[in-house]
């Protein structure tokens, strides 16, 4: 379990790093050029690692045919997240991606879709998604709320100055 937690944390770090790099590439070229570059280099890296670690076993596919198309889904992932990071910044975009992943992961687990073992939907899991979503919302709105509060303080202070001097 510890290995799984460490790998998940490393995966999250790598996703954020990749999306930050992708957004910087996207500043210079189109989203489709960025997506093609990312997926082509990913193919070369995974193909090389697969050959090195698995040899010819790399070419044995046992999954249902429709699961083979996850790479096509990857095109949407890279394109959407790259655009989101460029528009919102890495922390905001990734936090929204995280909430979306948790929400849909819970839904698909609970429904047993896509070959997953059905997991009972519980109040605790629903509450967990709500708390995480509220935290992300607070994170998203925090700077705007702080700026608004600072603006009110400055406005109040300037009115006081006018009264004292006036």
């Amino acid at each position: 379990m510890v290995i799984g937690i460490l790998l998940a944390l490393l995966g999250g770090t790598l996703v954020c790093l990749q999306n930050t790099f992708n957004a910087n590439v996207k500043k210079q070229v189109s989203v489709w050029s960025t997506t093609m570059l990312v997926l082509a280099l990913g193919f070369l890296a995974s193909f090389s690692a697969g050959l090195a670690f698995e040899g010819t076993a790399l070419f044995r596919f046992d999954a249902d045919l429709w699961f083979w198309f996850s790479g096509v889904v990857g095109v949407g992932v890279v394109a959407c997240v790259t655009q989101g990071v460029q528009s919102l910044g890495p922390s905001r975009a990734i936090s929204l991606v995280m909430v979306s992943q948790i929400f849909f992961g819970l839904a698909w687990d609970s429904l047993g879709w896509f070959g997953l073992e059905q997991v009972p939907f519980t109040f605790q899991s629903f509450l967990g998604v709500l708390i995480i979503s509220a935290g992300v919302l607070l994170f998203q709105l925090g700077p705007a709320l702080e700026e608004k509060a600072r603006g009110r303080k400055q406005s109040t202070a300037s009115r006081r100055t006018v009264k004292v001097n006036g």
Side-chain angles (χ1 to χ4, degrees), residues 13 18 29 31-32 34 43 48 51 53 57 61 63 85 90 92 94 107-108 114 122 127 130 137 162-164:
T13 303
Q18 178 192 24
V29 297
V31 70
W32 297 113
T34 302
F43 168 77
S48 300
L51 283 176
F53 290 105
F61 300 110
V85 168
R92 285 186 172 167
I94 298 302
W108 294 333
F114 306 114
T122 64
L127 188 60
L130 282 181
L137 184 62
V162 170
K163 287 180 184 177
V164 170

Side-chain angles (χ1 to χ4, degrees), residues 57-85:
L58 175 67
F59 303 103
R60 281 190 234 124
F61 300 110
D62 263 346
D64 291 335
L65 183 63
W66 64 298
F67 289 129
W68 291 18
F69 292 94
S70 67
V72 175
V73 174
V75 171
V77 171
V78 172
C80 291
V81 176
T82 297
Q83 294 279 90
V85 168

Side-chain angles (χ1 to χ4, degrees), residues 98-122:
M98 180 187 69
V99 168
S100 177
Q101 287 177 317
I102 292 169
F103 174 79
F104 284 102
L106 174 63
W108 294 333
D109 270 348
S110 299
L111 296 168
W113 285 4
F114 306 114
L116 297 171
E117 183 179 326
Q118 191 168 7
V119 176
F121 182 82
T122 64

Side-chain angles (χ1 to χ4, degrees), residues 10-26 34-43 45 74-75 77-79 81-83 85-86 90 94:
L10 178 61
T13 303
L14 293 173
V15 165
C16 189
L17 182 64
Q18 178 192 24
N19 289 319
T20 303
F21 284 7
N22 292 354
N24 283 313
V25 171
K26 167 63 179 68
T34 302
T35 302
M36 187 268 316
L37 175 70
V38 167
L39 295 176
L41 290 174
F43 168 77
V75 171
V77 171
V78 172
V81 176
T82 297
Q83 294 279 90
V85 168
Q86 188 175 19
I94 298 302

Side-chain angles (χ1 to χ4, degrees), residues 52 98 103 129 138 154:
M98 180 187 69
F103 174 79
V129 170
L138 182 62
Q154 288 175 350

